[in-house]
Amino acid sequence: MLIRRERADDVTAIAAVHRSAFGPQYADGDARYTLADADIVEMTGEPNSADDPPEVDLVARLRSDEGWIPTLSFVAIEHDIVIGHVCLTRASVGPFPVLALGPLGVDTEHQGSGVGAALVHAALGAADALDEPLVALLGSVDYYPQFGFVPAARLGITPDEPAWVSHFQVRQLTAYESQIVGEFHYAEPFYCV
């Protein structure tokens, strides 16, 4: 397996990965939480169409948003096939620029094999190398602590959606400073799913 930056010719394959990873969770048409690789839980809205889970559209909309950071969108490749994807986008805590992780998706045939973990490690390493202070996410409290994520409230950071509190987590990076406190806000496309 190889982790590398997303390229323009990966867009269709990335959409297929998120369709595979998240689609089964919307089979009943009433999913509020979705599961991907190793019990990753991400809060989402209702699907935008009968065919695609909202994560497919979310990634497409993020690419055209000012919060998109092309250097922080990664794919996992096996035998020249995209089997996983994760991206980090610009977010904020009060006036402080930070990053948001997600969506993270792994093709169903490769879930549980460490692909998601490899993608998270790559994303966190790249963010740290770029002197970003903090990465936040909405996800499984059983899965993400292995990467150093802690409940955001411990650091004085709250999500702007109260329903997210129980699954909202942050990971401090080397450039983190203790004055980064306040309300977290994702890039706008996250509020349209």
Side-chain angles (χ1 to χ4, degrees), residues 141 145 148-157 165-171:
V141 295
F149 284 89
V150 299
R154 288 188 193 169
L155 299 179
I157 299 170
V165 170
S166 63
H167 288 81
F168 188 66
Q169 302 165 66
V170 296
R171 167 67 153 77

Side-chain angles (χ1 to χ4, degrees), residues 82-95:
V82 175
I83 60 170
H85 174 256
V86 70
C87 60
L88 294 167
T89 52
R90 181 60 61 207
S92 62
V93 173

Side-chain angles (χ1 to χ4, degrees), residues 3-97:
I3 305 293
R4 66 162 169 76
R5 284 176 48 186
E6 170 186 334
R7 297 188 306 224
D9 61 346
D10 294 326
V11 170
T12 301
I14 290 169
V17 162
H18 289 295
R19 245 179 238 112
S20 173
F22 294 99
Q25 303 308 314
Y26 294 99
D28 65 2
D30 191 30
R32 180 179 169 111
Y33 288 94
T34 63
L35 300 179
D37 190 43
D39 288 324
I40 297 167
V41 180
E42 298 204 24
M43 179 77 84
T44 64
E46 294 298 315
N48 291 328
S49 75
D51 297 330
D52 281 341
E55 290 80 4
V56 174
D57 185 54
L58 173 59
V59 173
R61 284 183 289 110
L62 283 170
R63 282 193 189 97
S64 62
D65 187 79
E66 64 185 29
W68 182 252
I69 305 171
T71 57
L72 295 176
S73 180
F74 300 96
V75 291
I77 306 291
E78 185 175 80
H79 305 295
D80 295 324
I81 297 171
V82 175
I83 60 170
H85 174 256
V86 70
C87 60
L88 294 167
T89 52
R90 181 60 61 207
S92 62
V93 173
F96 302 100

Side-chain angles (χ1 to χ4, degrees), residues 90-182:
R90 181 60 61 207
S92 62
V93 173
F96 302 100
V98 299
L99 295 174
L101 187 145
L104 166 64
V106 176
D107 182 88
T108 54
E109 293 180 15
H110 294 88
Q111 290 179 6
S113 65
V115 175
L119 284 163
V120 172
H121 282 298
L124 292 174
D128 199 40
L130 292 172
D131 289 326
E132 294 290 344
L134 180 104
V135 175
L137 60 79
L138 190 59
S140 171
V141 295
D142 296 322
Y143 182 76
Y144 286 104
Q146 70 181 308
F147 307 107
F149 284 89
V150 299
R154 288 188 193 169
L155 299 179
I157 299 170
T158 58
D160 58 358
E161 294 287 337
W164 295 348
V165 170
S166 63
H167 288 81
F168 188 66
Q169 302 165 66
V170 296
R171 167 67 153 77
Q172 298 164 282
L173 301 174
T174 305
Y176 172 78
E177 296 179 9
S178 61
Q179 73 262 26
I180 301 175
V181 296

